[in-house]
Amino acid sequence: MPTRLHKNRKKRGHVSAGHGRIGKHRKHPDGRGNAGGMHHKRIMFDKYHPGYFGKVGMRYFHKTNNKFHCPTLNLDKVWTLVSDDVRKEYAEKTDVAPVIDVYKAGYFKVLGRGHLPKQPVIVKAKFFSKTAEKKIKAVGGTCVLTA
């Protein structure tokens, strides 16, 4: 923006330039940023950000996330792990069902969102949710737990 359009041009000749003679326009009169949250800005923090200070929960010393690693897969995606040809091939057969090992695809747990085609399937995984197990059995399939 050119200088001639700046608001400051209007204030030329007026001593304090709109910032008042008494308070004065100083750099950071009440501290920078969140300074004073426990002191002079306490009311604002308590009113608009309750719970900002303090701790919550238990401490967990040396938490390694390896034991919590559990990638999940929903039922609506289970059939994407095998090709479409496999699904069509087993659709006609009634005596055998395809085996889908979700662990080989990098998933540990099968969750129950979505629908399965009305076609039996054997799903192998480390963990199954209750709803996933119910839906797999409803289409005539089985859940096989692997270590």
Side-chain angles (χ1 to χ4, degrees), residues 5 24 30 32 34 40 42 50 54 56-58 72 87 90 98 103-105 112 120 126:
L5 297 177
K24 297 187 188 60
D30 62 348
R32 293 175 188 243
N34 287 338
H40 56 280
R42 158 127 344 146
V56 67
M58 280 170 26
T72 58
R87 188 173 63 80
Y90 282 96
Y103 180 76
K104 279 198 179 125
K126 278 186 163 194

Side-chain angles (χ1 to χ4, degrees), residues 19-65:
H19 290 291
R21 283 171 188 267
I22 296 163
K24 297 187 188 60
H25 187 56
R26 297 272 160 87
K27 293 280 175 72
H28 297 277
D30 62 348
R32 293 175 188 243
N34 287 338
M38 298 278 254
H39 307 284
H40 56 280
K41 291 185 190 164
R42 158 127 344 146
I43 289 170
M44 187 276 286
F45 270 86
D46 288 349
K47 186 174 180 181
Y48 298 109
H49 309 284
Y52 181 83
F53 296 108
K55 298 175 181 176
V56 67
M58 280 170 26
R59 294 187 298 173
Y60 191 129
F61 298 111
H62 191 67
K63 183 176 181 180
T64 52
N65 283 320

Side-chain angles (χ1 to χ4, degrees), residues 1 16 23 25 29 32 34 40 48 63 68-69 76 80 91 94 116 120 122 141:
M1 182 159 64
S16 307
H25 187 56
R32 293 175 188 243
N34 287 338
H40 56 280
Y48 298 109
K63 183 176 181 180
F68 302 107
H69 180 73
D76 51 4
T80 63
T94 52
L116 281 173
I122 299 162

Side-chain angles (χ1 to χ4, degrees), residues 93-126:
K93 299 177 183 175
T94 52
D95 53 340
V96 285
V99 178
I100 300 175
D101 194 346
V102 299
Y103 180 76
K104 279 198 179 125
Y107 299 101
F108 284 13
K109 185 171 184 174
V110 178
L111 303 177
R113 188 181 73 187
H115 300 287
L116 281 173
K118 303 265 185 290
Q119 184 177 343
V121 61
I122 299 162
V123 184
K124 285 183 166 186
K126 278 186 163 194

